[in-house]
C-alpha cells in the first residue's frame, strides 16, 4: 500500500503551484530565496508542461525540469510533481484531431485552452501513459519528490464528450454494466415515448434532442463520463505506483463548487492515496467563509475523516468571476487556517508567482505583480510563520458533531429537465441546512446515503431526490437504533435509474418518516406560506408545499395558509429508539433553525448557539493532544469559553478558561491534559 502523506515533509505543507517555465532562469534563484523567506515547504511543478517536456512525439527535454528540481531540493523545498496530461501539446492534436471533445450539440471544441480532452480517445490515453512513464522513470528517486500530482482538476471545464468514439465506448460500458440491451431498456424505461432499442448499435450519447430526452439515459451518461475519466486517472496512477513505489499519488478535487460537480468524489476518494482539494471563494453575496467550511468538511469526509490537503486556493482575488474583489487584510490567513482546522495538513495556493501573460494573469499569487513590497507578500510571510508554528497538529483529526447526507449522483438526477418546480434547487437546500448547522457551531461530516451513520446523534438529509432502497433501509435502521433524522422535501423519490419508487411519496423514506404525501403543490414566484406550531410559533416557507398524510408521525407545525392550509407541514415520527423529522416546504433561515434546534434537542446535541455568530470553533484531536481552532470572521473582538487552560500556538501565550480573539484573527489552542 502506498503512503498517504507527502514523503519527506516534516511540517505542514505551505506553498503553491510553481511554474518556472514561465520565467527566465535568473528569476528561479530569486524564487527559491523568497520561498525560504516565506517558509515554503512544498510546491507543485510541471502541471502544464507537456509541450516543453515532449516538444515532439517521442523526443523529451527534461533538462530544465532537472535543474528546477535540483534547485528546489538544494533549498529544502519538497515537490508535488505533476503529470502534465491536462494540456496535451499542439502536435498531439494535429496528429489526433478526434481527441478534441464534441459537445451535445455536435460542435467539436478547438485547441487553445486547457483540458480539451475526449477521455474515450485511445490516442490520448496512450500518450498520457507514455509521458507519465517517462516522468516516473526519470524522477522516481529524485530526493525532492514528495507527491505525484496526476492531471489537474479532472472534469473542468469539459466533463463529457459526445463524439462517435464516446458513443462506441458508451455502448461497451452499458454492456459491462447491464449485460444486455433488454436490461438497458428496463433500466431506462424505454417503453415511454417508444424509445425501445433492439441492439446496442442503436444507442447514442444523449445528444441535443427536440425536447426533453430520456432522464435515465442522461443519468447513466454522467456515470459513464465519470467512470471514463477515472479510468484515465487509474492508468496514470498505476504507472506511478509501479515505477515510483513509496510516493503517494493524488489529483486535485473541487468538491464543493456547484459549478464543478461532474465527478462522484465518493468513488474518486477511494482511488487516490491522499485526498487533495482546490477551493475558491464564490463572491455572490453570501457569506463566503460558510462555503469554505462546507468545502473543507466535505473534502475531509471524502477522505474518510483522515487528514487531507488543500492544494489550491487564492491569496486574494481570482480572475474568472464576473466580479473579483480582493481579500481583506487578514482574510488570506483566516481562510487558510479554516481549512487546516477542518482537517487539511497545510495550505497551498495557485500560484507562487503571478503570471505576466495568459488567461490567468490577473489571478492573485503568493508573489504578486508588485513584488515583495506589497500587503499580499507580507501576509504570505506571516502566514508561513503561522503554518510553521502548527507543526504539532500533523496527523490529528477534526472532531465532528453531526452528519449530512450527500450524493453527487442525486444532484445529477435532480438537475435533469422537467421537475415539479424549477425554483427548487437541491444544492441551495444543502447549503441552507449546512449554514444552519454552522451557525449552531456544529462541525459537519458528510456521508453517502448507504454509509454507516451510527456514530452520529443527528443526520440531516437535504432534498436527496435519488435514493436507493438500500439507503432507505439504512436510514430506517439508523433511526430505529436511536438516531435523530431530519429530512427535507423531495427526498427519496426515485431509485438509481430515476424511476419513481412504487407507491406513495416519499418512496424510500415512507416507513422511517411515518407518512405519505398525496401530492406536491409547488408555489409560484413570490408566494409564501405560514406555518403554526408549538406555543403559537410561526414559520415561513416558499417554493414548495405538500399534502402530507401522517401514518404514525405526529404533526408539529401546520400550514396556516396556502394550498395545503390546515394540513401537516412539519412532522415528527418516533421509531424504535430514535426520531425522524420531515419538513415539507422550503423554510427560511430562521424557520429552518427552529426545526434544527428541536431536532438537536431530540438528539442530545450540545447547544452552542450562544457563541458569537461568524466565530468558528473547531476541534482537532490525536494521540498527543487536543486543539481548538477559533476563527473570528467578524470586525469585533470575540470571547470564547475553553474547556480548561492551554497554550495558544500562534502567539505562544498561555490561555485560561476564556480565549480572546481579536477582530479578523485566528487562535489555535493546545489544551492542557
Amino acid at each position: 500500500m502506498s503512503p498517504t502523506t507527502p514523503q519527506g515533509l516534516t511540517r505542514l505543507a505551505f506553498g503553491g503551484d510553481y511554474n518556472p517555465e514561465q520565467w527566465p532562469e535568473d528569476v528561479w534563484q530569486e524564487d527559491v530565496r523568497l520561498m525560504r523567506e516565506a517558509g515554503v515547504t512544498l510546491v507543485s511543478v510541471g502541471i502544464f508542461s507537456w509541450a516543453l517536456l515532449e516538444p515532439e512525439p517521442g523526443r523529451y527535454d527534461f533538462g530544465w525540469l532537472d535543474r528546477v528540481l535540483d534547485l528546489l531540493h538544494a533549498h529544502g523545498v519538497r515537490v508535488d510533481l505533476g503529470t502534465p496530461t491536462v494540456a496535451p501539446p499542439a502536435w498531439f492534436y494535429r496528429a489526433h484531431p478526434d481527441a478534441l471533445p464534441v459537445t451535445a450539440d455536435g460542435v467539436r471544441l478547438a485547441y487553445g485552452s486547457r483540458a480539451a480532452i475526449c477521455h474515450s480517445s485511445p490516442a490520448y490515453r496512450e500518450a498520457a501513459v507514455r509521458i507519465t512513464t517517462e516522468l516516473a522513470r526519470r524522477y522516481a528517486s529524485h530526493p525532492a519528490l514528495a507527491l505525484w500530482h496526476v492531471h489537474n482538476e479532472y472534469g473542468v471545464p469539459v466533463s463529457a464528450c459526445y463524439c462517435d468514439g464516446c458513443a462506441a465506448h458508451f455502448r461497451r460500458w452499458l454492456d459491462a454494466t447491464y449485460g444486455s440491451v433488454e436490461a438497458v431498456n428496463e433500466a431506462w424505461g424505454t417503453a415511454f415515448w417508444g424509445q425501445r432499442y433492439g441492439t446496442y448499435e442503436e444507442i447514442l450519447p444523449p445528444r441535443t434532442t427536440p425536447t426533453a430526452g430520456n432522464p435515465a439515459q442522461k443519468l447513466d451518461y454522467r456515470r459513464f463520463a465519470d467512470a471514463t475519466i477515472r479510468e484515465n486517472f487509474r492508468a496514470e496512477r498505476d504507472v506511478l505506483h509501479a515505477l515510483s513505489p513509496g510516493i503517494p499519488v493524488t489529483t486535485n478535487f473541487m468538491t464543493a463548487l456547484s459549478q464543478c460537480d461532474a465527478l462522484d468524489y465518493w468513488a474518486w476518494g477511494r482511488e487516490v492515496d491522499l485526498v487533495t482539494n482546490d477551493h475558491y471563494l464564490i463572491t455572490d453575496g453570501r457569506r463566503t467563509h460558510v462555503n469554505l467550511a462546507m468545502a473543507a468538511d466535505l473534502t475531509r469526509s471524502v477522505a474518510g475523516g483522515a487528514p487531507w490537503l488543500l492544494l489550491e486556493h487564492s491569496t486574494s482575488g481570482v480572475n474568472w468571476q464576473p466580479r473579483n474583489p480582493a481579500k481583506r487584510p487578514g482574510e488570506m490567513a483566516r481562510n487558510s487556517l479554516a481549512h487546516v482546522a477542518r482537517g487539511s495538513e497545510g495550505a497551498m495556493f495557485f500560484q507562487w508567482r503571478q503570471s505576466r501573460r495568459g488567461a490567468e494573469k490577473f489571478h492573485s499569487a503568493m508573489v504578486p505583480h508588485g513584488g515583495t513590497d506589497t500587503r499580499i507578500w507580507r501576509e504570505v510571510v506571516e502566514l508561513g510563520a503561522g503554518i510553521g508554528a502548527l507543526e504539532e497538529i500533523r496527523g490529528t483529526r477534526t472532531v465532528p458533531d453531526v452528519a449530512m447526507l450527500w450524493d453527487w449522483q442525486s444532484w445529477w438526477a435532480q438537475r435533469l429537465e422537467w421537475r415539479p418546480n424549477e425554483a427548487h434547487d437541491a444544492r441551495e437546500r444543502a447549503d441552507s441546512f449546512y449554514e444552519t448547522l454552522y451557525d449552531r457551531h456544529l462541525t459537519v461530516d458528510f456521508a453517502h446515503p448507504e454509509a454507516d451513520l451510527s456514530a452520529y446523534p443527528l443526520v440531516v438529509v437535504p432534498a436527496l431526490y435519488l435514493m436507493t432502497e438500500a439507503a432507505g433501509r439504512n436510514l430506517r435502521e439508523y433511526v430505529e437504533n436511536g438516531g435523530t433524522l431530519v429530512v427535507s422535501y423531495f427526498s427519496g423519490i426515485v431509485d438509481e435509474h430515476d424511476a419513481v419508487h412504487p407507491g406513495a411519496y416519499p418512496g424510500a423514506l415512507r416507513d422511517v418518516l411515518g407518512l405519505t404525501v398525496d401530492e406536491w403543490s409547488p408555489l409560484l414566484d413570490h408566494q409564501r406560506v405560514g406555518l403554526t406550531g408549538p406555543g403559537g410559533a410561526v414559520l415561513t416557507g416558499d417554493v414548495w408545499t405538500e399534502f402530507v398524510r401522517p401514518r404514525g408521525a405526529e404533526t408539529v407545525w401546520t400550514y396556516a395558509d396556502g394550498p395545503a392550509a390546515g394540513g401537516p407541514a412539519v412532522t415528527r415520527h418516533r421509531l424504535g429508539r430514535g426520531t425522524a423529522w420531515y419538513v415539507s416546504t422550503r423554510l427560511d433561515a430562521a424557520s429552518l433553525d427552529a426545526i434544527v434546534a428541536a431536532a438537536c434537542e431530540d438528539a442530545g446535541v450540545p447547544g452552542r448557539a450562544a457563541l458569537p455568530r461568524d466565530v468558528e470553533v473547531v476541534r482537532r484531536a490525536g494521540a498527543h493532544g487536543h486543539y481548538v481552532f477559533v476563527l473570528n470572521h467578524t470586525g469585533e473582538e470575540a470571547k470564547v469559553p475553553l474547556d480548561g487552560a492551554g497554550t495558544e500556538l500562534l502567539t505562544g501565550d498561555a490561555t485560561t478558561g476564556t480565549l480572546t480573539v481579536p477582530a479578523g484573527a485566528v487562535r489555535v489552542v493546545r489544551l492542557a491534559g
Side-chain angles (χ1 to χ4, degrees), residues 483-494:
T484 299
L485 187 70
V486 179
V487 177
S488 73
Y489 65 91
F490 209 42
S491 293
I493 305 303
V494 299

Side-chain angles (χ1 to χ4, degrees), residues 272-395:
V272 297
D273 299 322
L274 169 67
V275 168
T276 62
N277 195 54
D278 297 351
H279 181 264
Y280 293 96
L281 301 180
I282 303 300
T283 50
D284 59 0
R286 290 183 288 180
R287 298 151 71 203
T288 55
H289 54 277
V290 179
N291 176 265
L292 186 159
M294 184 178 190
D297 282 343
L298 181 55
T299 307
R300 182 187 68 252
S301 301
V302 168
W308 55 279
L309 179 59
L310 174 67
L311 207 53
E312 285 186 29
H313 72 314
S314 65
T315 56
S316 191
V318 297
N319 66 297
W320 41 265
Q321 298 184 67
R323 294 169 181 82
N324 298 287
K327 292 184 178 179
R328 298 180 299 277
E331 189 176 359
M332 173 176 59
R334 201 164 60 250
N335 290 166
S336 301
L337 295 177
H339 286 285
V340 174
R342 295 176 185 271
S344 177
E345 294 283 77
M348 305 280 285
F349 294 93
F350 179 84
Q351 59 180 323
W352 165 251
R353 184 179 287 273
Q354 192 169 13
S355 301
R356 290 186 57 230
R357 298 177 175 84
E360 293 186 289
K361 58 182 170 288
F362 297 124
H363 190 296
S364 60
M366 299 174 77
V367 182
H369 288 148
T372 57
D373 189 18
T374 56
R375 174 178 67 86
I376 286 181
W377 174 252
R378 289 188 287 273
E379 290 194 16
V380 163
V381 173
E382 182 180 1
L383 176 59
I387 292 286
L390 300 180
E391 176 183 331
E392 65 183 82
I393 72 161
R394 291 178 72 233

Side-chain angles (χ1 to χ4, degrees), residues 459-577:
V459 172
V460 170
V461 184
L464 209 59
Y465 161 78
L466 184 154
M467 187 174 290
T468 63
E469 291 184 3
R473 291 193 298 271
N474 188 44
L475 294 182
R476 179 184 177 114
E477 291 171 5
Y478 166 74
V479 173
E480 288 177 332
N481 290 329
T484 299
L485 187 70
V486 179
V487 177
S488 73
Y489 65 91
F490 209 42
S491 293
I493 305 303
V494 299
D495 66 12
E496 61 271 28
H497 303 299
D498 198 49
V500 175
H501 284 289
Y505 309 136
L509 295 172
R510 284 192 303 264
D511 293 343
V512 68
L513 295 175
L515 56 83
T516 57
V517 173
D518 287 347
E519 194 175 9
W520 304 312
S521 187
L523 300 176
L524 302 179
D525 288 349
H526 311 303
Q527 280 188 302
R528 303 286 185 273
V529 291
L531 285 64
T532 56
V538 178
L539 308 181
T540 302
D542 65 1
V543 172
W544 193 278
T545 62
E546 296 181 344
F547 294 94
V548 176
R549 184 177 299 186
R551 299 184 185 276
E554 61 175 306
T555 299
V556 185
W557 267 272
T558 302
Y559 285 112
D561 49 35
V570 178
T571 63
R572 181 170 177 261
H573 185 217
R574 298 181 185 275
L575 182 66
R577 302 198 306 273

Side-chain angles (χ1 to χ4, degrees), residues 47-48 50 84-94 96-103 107-121 123-125 127-128 151-163 166 229 232:
I47 295 169
F48 294 99
W50 194 343
T85 51
V86 69
W91 60 255
F92 171 79
Y93 287 116
R94 185 180 181 187
H96 304 285
D98 56 349
L100 287 164
V102 175
T103 69
V107 176
R108 189 175 294 278
L109 301 178
Y111 173 76
S113 181
R114 69 174 193 180
I117 297 164
C118 167
H119 280 276
S120 291
S121 166
Y124 169 75
R125 183 173 298 185
H151 205 271
N152 183 71
E153 296 177 346
Y154 276 110
V156 179
V158 178
S159 60
C161 172
Y162 297 82
C163 71
C166 285
I229 295 171
N232 282 342

